[in-house]
């Protein structure tokens, strides 16, 4: 895994910004997937309790 880009404000290069953006998109996609899995698990176990 690549290290996060240090926030250096407007002096960041376009390459650094693109790399950081790709990393953040990947992180968001994983968090959304985890949320969806947990939501489905919650629904499944809620049905079992009825």
């Amino acid at each position: 895994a690549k290290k996060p880009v240090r926030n250096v404000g407007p002096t960041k290069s376009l390459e650094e910004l693109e790399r950081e953006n790709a990393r953040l998109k990947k992180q968001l996609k994983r968090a959304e997937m985890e949320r969806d899995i947990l939501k489905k698990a919650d629904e499944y176990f809620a049905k079992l309790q009825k």
Side-chain angles (χ1 to χ4, degrees):
K2 294 182 180 178
K3 292 182 180 179
V5 177
R6 205 170 47 100
N7 186 5
V8 291
T11 60
K12 276 188 182 180
S13 72
L14 181 58
E15 181 181 321
E16 289 174 316
L17 291 170
E18 288 173 340
R19 192 170 77 235
E20 183 179 20
N21 193 38
R23 180 184 64 81
L24 291 170
K25 283 182 179 182
K26 185 177 178 181
Q27 186 178 358
L28 175 62
K29 187 174 184 176
R30 180 181 173 107
E32 288 173 337
M33 183 178 64
E34 289 174 355
R35 178 204 61 204
D36 292 343
I37 290 169
L38 291 171
K39 186 176 179 182
K40 288 178 183 179
D42 183 51
E43 291 170 359
Y44 174 78
F45 288 112
K47 286 180 184 177
L48 288 179
Q49 291 180 350
K50 288 183 179 180

